[in-house]
C-alpha cells in the first residue's frame, strides 16, 4: 500500500540526511587518510651527511687517538654504530667523492684527475642528491665540491642547481675561505669550520642570518618536508692546513691547542734522509716525483707541526658538530635526524717514508665512519667491511626511495635498525691516479684478516723532468703538470681495462692484517701462505670484474685547459 504524502515527505527527508551523512563520513575518511599519509610521509628521517677531507681512521678519540680532543664526535659515535673497518674505494679526492655521490667504484664511474672526463648528466640523474630531491627531500650542500659534472665540468652549474640550498665552492675551501672564494665573503666568521657553520644555520633555521652568497631556491626550509644536508669540509686537507697563519683574530683552538703536548712519531715513521730500503721498488713507485705539498713528512719537526694543525682543524669540526646538535634540539629536529660521518680517504704522515695518498695501504683507505640514529637504544662498534660507496644506497633506503641498479654499494641501514653484522666477504680498493707524480696503478682485495695488493708497470714521465723543461722553455708549471688533455682518456681507459683483460702485475704484496696492521711484513713469497694468496688472487679477479661493471661508462670528455678552478 503506498505511503501517504506526509510519510513520503518524512522518508525523503531521512534519505537526504542519510546521503549527507554518508558524504560527510566519506569526506572525513579521505581527510583522515590524507592526514595519515601526510604524517607517514613526514615520519621519514632527516639526514645529515658529514664528510671530512684527508682524515685517517686514527684521528678521533673514539678511534684510538689519545691526544686529539673530539668530545662531540666521540659522543655521537658512541650513541650510534661506529664502524672500525670502514674503507673508501679510491683514496684520492675526486674519484672518492664521485664514488660517494653515485655509489660506484671508480672503475665503473670513470672520473679522476687524469681521466679527462666528467660525470655525464645522465649518470648524475642517479646520484643520491638528485634522487633524494625527487623523493621529496629538501636538500642542501655546504662546503667543498670536487666532482666535475657535464661538459663544462665545474663551470656547468649542474650541481648548484641540483640542490635546494647551495653554500659551497669547487676545489679547495682553504682555512680563510673569504680570501679565496667569492661565495663565502658575506660570512661574519673568518675560518673554515665557522664560515660553514653559518651556512648550516641558514639551511636549518628560518630565523638565522641570511648569507648573500648562498643560493636558495626557497626563502626558507619547508617545515612539511624532511631534509637532507651534505656538509663537506676541506679539513684536515693540506689546502686548509698549509694556509693557517695563527692570526690574532683566529680562535684559540687554531693558535695554541696541542702546542704544549708531546707529539709522538707515527708507527714506522722514516725521515726522508733515513730511507735505506723504499717501501716499494723504485721502478714502480717514483717517490721523488711526489707533489711538493707533502714534503712536510720528510722531517720529524715538519711532520709534527703539520699534525698539530690537522688536529686543531678537526677539533674545530668537532666543536661545530656539537653546536649542530644543539641547534637541532632547539629547533625540535633532533628526535628524527640521522647523522652519518666519514672521510673521503686517509693520508700518509711519513709512515714507511711515504707522503700523500692514493695507494691501497690502510693509512690511505681506512677511514672513520659512523651512523647515528636518535631512535637507537644504545650505540655499539662493528668490524663489518663497509665502504663509503655504501652511503648513497643507505641514505636512499632510509628515505624510502628506490635504489638504482647502477649503484654498486650496499644498503647498510640495518646497522641502525636490527644490528646487521655482515656486508661483504671481500673488500676491494684501487688506485687509477697514476700520473707524472709517481704513484703506480694498484688494486687490493682484503678480508678482515688478510690483504693482497698488486701493482703494474709505471711508465709515467717524471714530474721532476717536466718541471725542468718548463723552466728551461718558459712553460707554465700548471700547464705542464696539471692540465688534462682529451688524449689522456685513452691512457686512462687502458688503466681500467688492461688488468681485466690479462695485464700481469709486476709486484705483489700480502699482509696478515690481524697480526701486522701497519703492513710492514710482505708475506707474498712465504710458501706457508700460498693458499691464502691464491684465494685472494681469485677474489681479486672476481671483485675487479664486478667493480668494472658492464657497458660504457656514463661520462663526458672534459678538459680543464680553460678552467679557472
Amino acid at each position: 500500500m503506498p505511503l501517504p504524502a506526509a510519510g513520503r515527505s518524512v522518508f525523503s527527508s531521512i534519505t537526504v540526511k542519510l546521503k549527507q551523512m554518508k558524504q560527510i563520513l566519506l569526506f572525513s575518511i579521505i581527510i583522515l587518510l590524507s592526514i595519515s599519509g601526510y604524517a607517514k610521509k613526514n615520519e621519514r628521517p632527516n639526514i645529515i651527511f658529514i664528510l671530512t677531507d684527508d682524515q685517517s681512521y686514527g684521528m678521533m678519540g673514539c678511534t684510538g687517538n689519545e691526544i686529539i680532543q673530539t668530545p662531540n664526535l666521540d659522543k655521537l659515535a658512541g650513541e650510534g654504530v661506529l664502524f672500525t673497518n670502514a674503507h673508501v674505494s679510491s683514496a684520492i679526492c675526486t674519484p672518492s667523492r664521485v664514488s660517494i655521490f653515485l655509489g660506484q667504484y671508480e672503475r665503473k664511474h670513470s672520473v679522476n684527475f687524469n681521466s679527462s672526463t666528467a660525470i655525464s648528466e645522465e649518470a648524475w640523474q642517479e646520484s643520491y642528491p638528485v634522487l633524494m630531491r625527487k623523493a621529496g627531500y629538501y636538500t642542501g650542500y655546504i662546503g667543498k665540491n670536487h666532482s666535475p659534472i657535464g661538459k663544462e665540468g665545474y663551470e656547468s652549474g649542474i650541481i648548484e642547481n641540483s640542490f635546494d640550498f647551495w653554500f659551497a665552492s669547487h676545489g679547495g675551501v682553504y682555512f680563510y675561505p673569504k680570501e679565496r672564494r667569492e661565495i663565502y665573503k658575506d660570512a661574519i666568521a673568518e675560518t673554515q669550520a665557522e664560515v660553514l657553520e653559518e651556512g648550516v644555520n641558514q639551511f636549518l633555521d628560518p630565523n638565522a642570518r641570511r648569507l648573500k652568497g648562498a643560493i636558495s631556491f626557497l626563502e626558507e626550509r619547508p617545515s612539511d618536508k624532511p631534509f637532507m644536508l651534505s656538509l663537506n669540509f676541506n679539513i684536515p686537507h693540506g689546502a686548509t692546513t698549509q694556509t693557517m697563519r695563527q692570526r690574532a683574530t683566529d680562535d684559540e683552538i687554531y693558535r695554541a691547542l696541542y702546542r704544549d703536548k708531546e707529539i709522538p712519531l707515527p708507527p714506522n715513521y722514516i725521515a726522508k734522509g733515513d730511507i735505506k730500503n723504499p717501501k716499494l721498488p723504485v721502478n714502480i713507485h717514483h717517490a721523488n716525483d711526489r707533489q711538493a705539498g707533502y714534503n712536510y713528512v720528510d722531517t720529524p719537526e715538519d711532520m709534527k707541526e703539520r699534525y698539530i694543525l690537522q688536529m686543531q682543524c678537526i677539533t674545530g669540526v668537532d666543536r661545530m658538530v656539537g653546536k649542530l646538535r644543539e641547534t637541532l634540539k632547539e629547533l625540535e629536529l633532533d628526535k628524527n635526524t640521522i647523522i652519518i660521518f666519514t672521510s673521503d680517504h686517509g693520508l700518509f704522515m711519513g709512515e714507511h717514508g711515504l707522503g700523500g695518498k692514493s695507494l691501497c695501504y690502510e693509512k690511505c683507505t681506512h677511514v672513520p665512519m659512523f651512523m647515528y640514529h636518535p631512535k637507537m637504544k644504545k650505540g655499539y662498534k662493528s668490524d663489518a667491511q663497509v665502504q663509503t660507496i655504501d652511503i648513497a644506497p643507505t641514505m636512499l633506503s632510509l628515505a624510502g626511495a628506490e635504489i638504482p641498479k647502477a649503484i654498486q654499494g650496499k644498503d647498510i641501514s640495518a646497522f641502525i635498525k636490527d644490528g646487521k653484522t655482515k656486508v661483504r666477504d671481500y673488500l676491494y680498493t684501487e688506485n687509477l691516479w697514476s700520473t707524472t707524480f709517481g704513484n703506480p696503478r694498484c688494486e687490493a682485495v682484503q678480508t678482515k684478516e688478510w690483504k693482497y695488493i698488486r701493482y703494474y708497470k709505471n711508465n709515467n714521465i717524471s714530474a721532476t723532468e717536466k718541471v725542468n723543461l718548463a723552466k728551461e722553455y718558459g712553460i707554465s708549471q700548471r700547464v705542464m703538470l696539471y692540465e688534462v688533455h682529451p688524449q689522456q682518456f685513452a691512457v686512462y681507459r687502458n688503466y681500467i681495462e688492461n688488468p681485466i683483460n690479462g695485464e700481469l702485475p709486476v709486484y705483489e704484496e700480502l699482509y696478515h692484517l690481524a697480526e701486522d696492521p701497519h703492513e710492514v711484513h710482505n708475506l707474498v713469497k712465504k710458501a706457508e701462505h700460498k693458499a691464502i694468496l691464491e684465494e685472494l688472487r681469485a677474489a681479486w679477479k672476481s671483485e675487479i670484474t664486478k667493480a668494472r661493471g658492464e657497458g660504457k661508462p656514463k661520462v663526458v670528455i672534459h678538459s680543464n685547459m680553460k678552467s679557472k678552478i
Side-chain angles (χ1 to χ4, degrees), residues 395-438:
M395 289 197 291
L396 291 171
S397 174
L398 291 167
E402 185 176 348
I403 300 172
K405 292 181 180 179
I407 283 184
Q408 296 173 304
K410 309 289 186 181
D411 172 14
I412 58 173
S413 61
F415 281 95
I416 53 176
K417 294 177 181 176
D418 55 22
K420 182 179 178 181
T421 58
K422 186 175 180 180
V423 180
R424 47 178 62 84
D425 293 320
Y426 300 101
L427 188 146
Y428 173 80
T429 59
E430 61 189 356
N431 175 50
L432 292 163
W433 187 68
S434 180
T435 69
T436 191
F437 294 114

Side-chain angles (χ1 to χ4, degrees), residues 214-225:
I215 301 170
S216 182
F217 294 98
L218 296 173
E219 186 63 30
E220 61 185 52
R221 177 179 58 82
S223 59
D224 61 345
K225 277 187 173 187

Side-chain angles (χ1 to χ4, degrees), residues 86-325:
H87 290 256
V88 298
S89 51
S90 296
I92 189 166
C93 296
T94 289
S96 179
R97 288 163 182 264
V98 174
S99 289
I100 291 170
F101 272 139
L102 300 179
Q104 298 174 359
Y105 293 100
E106 180 189 346
R107 203 162 292 263
K108 179 175 177 65
H109 69 63
S110 298
V111 180
N112 202 324
F113 294 106
N114 60 319
S115 65
S116 192
T117 59
I119 306 169
S120 70
E121 293 188 53
E122 179 186 0
W124 183 243
Q125 290 306 304
E126 293 189 321
S127 66
Y128 82 76
V130 172
L131 295 173
M132 294 287 284
R133 199 178 187 189
K134 284 182 179 178
Y137 272 69
Y138 178 73
T139 61
Y141 193 96
I142 294 172
K144 173 182 175 177
N145 171 53
H146 220 160
S147 302
I149 306 168
K151 291 182 179 180
E152 301 302 319
Y154 296 113
E155 284 93 353
S156 70
I158 293 171
I159 191 168
E160 290 91 332
N161 291 313
S162 298
F163 291 87
D164 297 301
F165 180 88
W166 174 268
F167 188 59
S169 55
H170 305 295
V173 179
Y174 305 100
F175 188 68
Y176 305 104
K178 291 156 65 172
E179 296 180 1
R180 304 288 288 270
R181 303 298 187 202
E182 184 68 29
I183 194 167
Y184 305 118
K185 286 190 181 296
D186 185 48
I188 295 172
E190 299 291 334
T191 49
Q192 183 183 146
E194 291 68 34
V195 168
L196 300 188
E197 181 183 340
E198 293 183 41
V200 172
N201 290 339
Q202 179 174 336
F203 176 81
L204 292 173
D205 188 353
N207 297 314
R209 177 176 176 268
R210 307 287 98 175
L211 291 152
K212 294 178 182 177
I215 301 170
S216 182
F217 294 98
L218 296 173
E219 186 63 30
E220 61 185 52
R221 177 179 58 82
S223 59
D224 61 345
K225 277 187 173 187
F227 68 78
M228 186 278 295
L229 173 62
S230 293
L231 175 55
N232 301 266
F233 292 97
N234 190 202
I235 287 172
H237 192 284
T240 295
T241 53
Q242 70 186 6
T243 57
M244 297 173 75
R245 294 293 177 263
Q246 291 80 50
R247 295 173 179 170
T249 53
D250 291 350
D251 190 280
E252 183 74 8
I253 284 177
Y254 307 124
R255 289 186 288 113
L257 192 60
Y258 306 120
R259 296 199 174 277
D260 61 340
K261 301 293 184 183
E262 182 66 32
I263 305 298
L265 291 172
N268 308 299
Y269 174 84
I270 306 175
K272 183 177 181 180
D274 296 330
I275 298 173
K276 293 182 175 60
N277 298 304
K279 177 63 174 169
L280 289 167
V282 294
N283 63 318
I284 295 171
H285 184 213
H286 306 162
N288 289 334
D289 289 318
R290 184 187 67 206
Q291 289 165 298
Y294 300 116
N295 288 350
Y296 58 82
V297 305
D298 291 346
T299 66
E301 296 76 20
D302 289 344
M303 187 286 300
K304 290 180 180 181
E305 173 60 22
R306 182 58 65 92
Y307 189 59
I308 286 172
L309 299 178
Q310 291 173 348
M311 290 193 294
Q312 289 174 344
C313 282
I314 293 172
T315 296
V317 169
D318 179 83
R319 180 174 63 179
M320 180 188 168
V321 169
K323 291 181 179 178
L324 170 62
R325 294 194 75 181

Side-chain angles (χ1 to χ4, degrees), residues 85 383-385 421-422 424-425 446-450 513-514:
N85 200 12
D383 67 350
Q385 294 194 117
T421 58
K422 186 175 180 180
R424 47 178 62 84
D425 293 320
Q446 64 194 82
T447 64
K448 292 179 182 180
E449 189 171 356
W450 291 89
L513 296 177

Side-chain angles (χ1 to χ4, degrees), residues 440-554:
R441 288 177 291 140
C442 55
E443 299 120 15
V445 64
Q446 64 194 82
T447 64
K448 292 179 182 180
E449 189 171 356
W450 291 89
K451 179 191 278 189
Y452 165 67
I453 313 175
R454 54 196 282 141
Y455 299 84
Y456 303 93
K457 286 182 180 179
N458 186 350
N459 296 322
N460 289 297
I461 298 173
S462 165
T464 304
E465 291 179 18
K466 283 189 172 185
V467 168
N468 290 337
L469 284 170
K471 291 177 179 177
E472 183 178 354
Y473 289 92
I475 303 171
S476 163
Q477 288 191 31
R478 180 191 183 278
V479 171
M480 188 67 87
L481 296 174
Y482 291 100
E483 279 200 353
V484 178
H485 299 252
Q487 66 185 18
Q488 290 174 240
F489 179 63
V491 176
Y492 180 77
R493 291 310 306 168
N494 276 318
Y495 287 177
I496 285 178
E497 305 292 0
N498 285 1
I500 298 173
N501 294 330
E503 182 181 10
L504 296 176
V506 295
Y507 188 71
E508 296 174 292
E509 292 174 312
L510 178 68
Y511 294 106
H512 192 186
L513 296 177
E515 296 181 1
D516 181 21
H518 301 300
E519 298 163 309
V520 176
H521 306 292
N522 183 8
L523 305 176
V524 76
K525 293 183 179 180
K526 299 291 184 180
E528 61 267 35
H529 301 306
K530 185 177 179 181
I532 187 65
L533 176 61
E534 292 305 319
E535 176 192 331
L536 293 178
R537 280 174 174 163
W540 163 83
K541 181 62 176 178
S542 173
E543 294 304 312
I544 193 175
T545 302
K546 287 190 288 186
R548 167 61 180 84
E550 298 179 353
K552 292 168 58 178
K554 294 182 179 181

